[in-house]
Every structure is written in C-alpha cells, then in structure tokens.
Amino acid sequence: MTDTVSADLGGTWLRIRVGSAIERFPAPSVLQQPGLSVDRLLQQLVDTLDVHVPHGARVNMSCGAALDEQKGVALGSGPLWGDAPSGEIPLLHMLSSRRPDVRWTLVNDVTAGLASYARGFARPTDRHLAYITISSGIAVRTAYLAEKVVPVDHRGLQGEVGHVRAVSSAPPAVLRLPCACGGVGHISSMSSGPGVAAVAQVLGIDYEERIFASSLAEGTDDLARLLTVVVEPIAELIRTMITLDPRLDRIGIGGGVAEGLVEFYERELIAQLAGSRSYADSLTSDRVREIIHVCAPGDIDTLSGADAIADGYLRVTKI
Ligand SMILES: [Zn+2]
C-alpha cells in the first residue's frame, strides 16, 4: 500500500506527518531564516522533504503561499520567500525533479483550511461555504458544496482579500497604516496579527497578544475598543460577501487571531453584523448566528485538509 505523507509549510514551521507521527522543523522561510537566499531556502525545503518521504509515497502539502494548484506554481508569499525575483516559484517541478517516485499534491493553506472546515462543520443544507483565515495574513476561500468545487481565476487565485482597502471608521492614523505588501490601509494592515499590534500602537493602547483574551475577560475598556476597531474591516467584508451571494450559508473564521479570542471575536463580529443600516440588510441576530462561526483552536487541521483536497473531496477548478 502507498504511504501517504501530509505536510504543512507555513512561515514559521514545516510540519510533516508520516503515519500518526508529526515532526516539526523551523520553516525554510525568510521569516525564520532571514539571512538565507530564496534559492537556499527552497533547497532546504526539498532536502528536508527528501529525507522524510518514503519511496513511492504520495505527499499532500499545504503551502502558505498564493498558489496555482493545478500547475504547482507559487505566486509569491512574503513570510515564506519574500518577493521571488521572477514572482513565480515552480515548486511542483522542483519537488518532482528531486523525487520523481513521489506523487505530489500542493494545496494553498487557505484552501486546505476550507476543506478541513467543510469536512468538520458543513451542514447538509449548506450551499456555499466560506472560510476566512485571520492570522499573519488574511484571505478567504469559498466552496460550492453541491458541485464540490472551489472556483479560482485564470491564475489559480480566489479570495486574496487581505490586500484590498479596509472599510473602517477608525481615526486617520489607523487608516494610514502600511501593509506588508507595500500598500496602505489594507484589511491586513489593521486586522491581521501584526495589524492588531500596529493599531494598538497608533491608538496608544497597551496591548500584549498573549493576554489579549484574558484582559477582554476582565473587561478592559481600551482593549474592547481595540477589538472593535480590528474586527470592523472583517465585519464589513462579511457584510459584503453575504450581500453579494444569497447562497452563502456558512462562514468559518479561523487563524491565530480569531482562534485566540474565540468567543470575544464571535460576540464582537455578531454585534457589528446584526446592526441594520438600510433595506439592503437582511441580517437579524438569528440569521447572523446561523452563518457566522468562529473556530476554536484545533477545529481546523490543514494537514487533513490537504489530504481531503488530494482525495477529491473538493476540486480546485479554473472557471
Ligand atoms: Zn496589503
């Protein structure tokens, strides 16, 4: 029987699961090893996988990079490899050249998160289901469950919303915050992990990620205000998503920022979404609660999500 190896390549860790054992290595990324060139980092990735993958195995790898999954080409990722000179990294070709005996499947980590979320939480009546990750970066993927499809554009992309302008009523200093992509005032600038810290700094709020949830539990006003500001661009994004797609029945929200605050994040999001502004809003509190689900740590497993995509649970399809 063919061995199946699952891997998850993030900016911080490379995790490899063989059988039931998971090994973790510092990621071959500019974030973890800023002194090394992109070529050297990619070499290290190929070397590490080469050592750990048995002969003739199939490997399903979730990658924290914008990815054309059909071609196996990475289209850029700041935390992993910075801005590659060509803008494209032929990841599948590099892995297949070293290990032609292996069947490689590369999956974007948000797509893997979506598959994991759908497997764990989709209800039989759900038609379109979205997963938003809010961590060092922000992105969303939507699956059409009846067709078992994740539609993508001609480059293999869908839902790279972290780098669109945030809708926010925050003070001008917050709206001018820079983004890692070089832009200004993007959703990632204020709602990602680094974004939350940056917003706290410009608002003069004493903030420490480690104790954010416990401080909110104690009812610290400044931190409640911080949460309101950083959730607003996400609430506005979700309001737009629901307005555009009447079949969107469920939205899972995961990633370190949301999962670290679970019930606080969900309460704030639901409070902001339930406010009706015009006839266009059909969002009652009950309807919002049916749609929105903030994930707890452990709800999303990108290793299993990559396996699910490789098994055809959802097909990533250019349409
Ligand atoms: Zn950006």
Side-chain angles (χ1 to χ4, degrees), residues 81-155:
W81 303 305
D83 296 321
S86 69
E88 294 191 357
I89 295 171
L91 204 49
L92 180 61
H93 175 74
M94 295 173 69
L95 294 164
S96 300
S97 302
R98 172 72 71 89
R99 290 294 300 275
D101 57 298
V102 170
R103 201 174 103 207
W104 300 93
T105 301
L106 304 183
V107 182
N108 170 269
D109 62 344
V110 189
T111 308
L114 168 67
S116 170
Y117 182 73
R119 271 231 160 129
F121 299 97
R123 298 161 297 203
T125 53
D126 288 342
R127 294 162 296 176
H128 293 179
L129 177 136
Y131 173 69
I132 305 176
T133 181
I134 305 173
S135 58
S136 54
I138 294 175
V140 55
R141 290 286 182 283
T142 302
Y144 298 178
L145 294 180
E147 298 96 321
K148 292 184 165 296
V149 158
V150 181
V152 294
D153 70 10
H154 65 288
R155 298 169 68 204

Side-chain angles (χ1 to χ4, degrees), residues 162-163 179 181 186:
H163 303 293
C179 186
C181 73
H186 289 178

Side-chain angles (χ1 to χ4, degrees), residues 2-317:
T2 309
D3 288 310
T4 297
V5 174
S6 314
D8 178 63
L9 173 63
T12 310
W13 301 108
L14 168 64
R15 297 184 300 141
I16 302 177
R17 180 168 67 192
V18 184
S20 58
I22 299 179
E23 275 200 84
R24 194 171 78 162
F25 307 89
S29 67
V30 291
L31 188 71
Q32 273 278 20
Q33 306 177 63
L36 295 186
S37 68
V38 174
D39 283 349
R40 186 73 201 89
L41 292 168
L42 290 167
Q43 192 67 42
Q44 196 184 98
L45 171 67
V46 175
D47 288 346
T48 307
L49 288 166
D50 189 14
V51 169
H52 289 86
V53 173
H55 183 82
R58 38 176 284 194
V59 176
N60 307 323
M61 184 160 78
S62 160
C63 306
L67 192 71
D68 183 327
E69 280 139 328
Q70 285 166 5
K71 292 183 184 164
V73 171
L75 300 164
S77 155
L80 271 176
W81 303 305
D83 296 321
S86 69
E88 294 191 357
I89 295 171
L91 204 49
L92 180 61
H93 175 74
M94 295 173 69
L95 294 164
S96 300
S97 302
R98 172 72 71 89
R99 290 294 300 275
D101 57 298
V102 170
R103 201 174 103 207
W104 300 93
T105 301
L106 304 183
V107 182
N108 170 269
D109 62 344
V110 189
T111 308
L114 168 67
S116 170
Y117 182 73
R119 271 231 160 129
F121 299 97
R123 298 161 297 203
T125 53
D126 288 342
R127 294 162 296 176
H128 293 179
L129 177 136
Y131 173 69
I132 305 176
T133 181
I134 305 173
S135 58
S136 54
I138 294 175
V140 55
R141 290 286 182 283
T142 302
Y144 298 178
L145 294 180
E147 298 96 321
K148 292 184 165 296
V149 158
V150 181
V152 294
D153 70 10
H154 65 288
R155 298 169 68 204
L157 303 180
Q158 189 224 95
E160 298 290 335
V161 294
H163 303 293
V164 301
R165 194 65 77 82
V167 175
S168 167
S169 56
V174 172
L175 304 182
R176 285 196 298 267
L177 281 171
C179 186
C181 73
V184 172
H186 289 178
I187 292 180
S188 275
S189 308
M190 42 191 104
S191 300
S192 68
V196 175
V199 170
Q201 196 177 17
V202 299
L203 294 180
I205 294 172
D206 192 15
Y207 162 76
E208 211 180 318
E209 184 189 347
R210 195 173 48 83
I211 55 166
F212 195 8
S214 57
S215 303
L216 287 168
E218 288 164 10
T220 312
D221 285 349
D222 272 0
L223 292 174
R225 184 161 64 97
L226 175 63
L227 183 63
T228 300
V229 172
V230 302
V231 165
E232 187 183 11
I234 302 298
E236 294 298 328
L237 168 68
I238 289 173
R239 193 183 284 274
T240 302
M241 288 167 64
I242 293 171
T243 305
L244 287 172
D245 184 358
R247 292 186 180 144
L248 185 53
D249 291 319
R250 188 151 232 216
I251 303 175
I253 298 136
V257 174
E259 291 174 21
L261 299 174
V262 197
E263 66 267 31
F264 301 104
Y265 206 94
E266 186 163 277
R267 199 179 306 151
E268 179 63 33
L269 196 50
I270 287 174
Q272 291 195 25
L273 282 169
S276 182
R277 297 173 184 164
S278 75
Y279 76 92
D281 278 323
S282 56
L283 288 170
T284 61
S285 291
D286 287 346
R287 177 75 181 131
V288 171
R289 282 194 178 81
E290 270 176 29
I291 296 176
I292 297 297
H293 172 211
V294 176
C295 297
D299 283 350
I300 302 299
D301 173 12
T302 49
L303 292 170
S304 302
D307 290 342
I309 295 287
D311 292 343
Y313 173 68
L314 293 171
R315 282 175 292 111
V316 178
T317 307

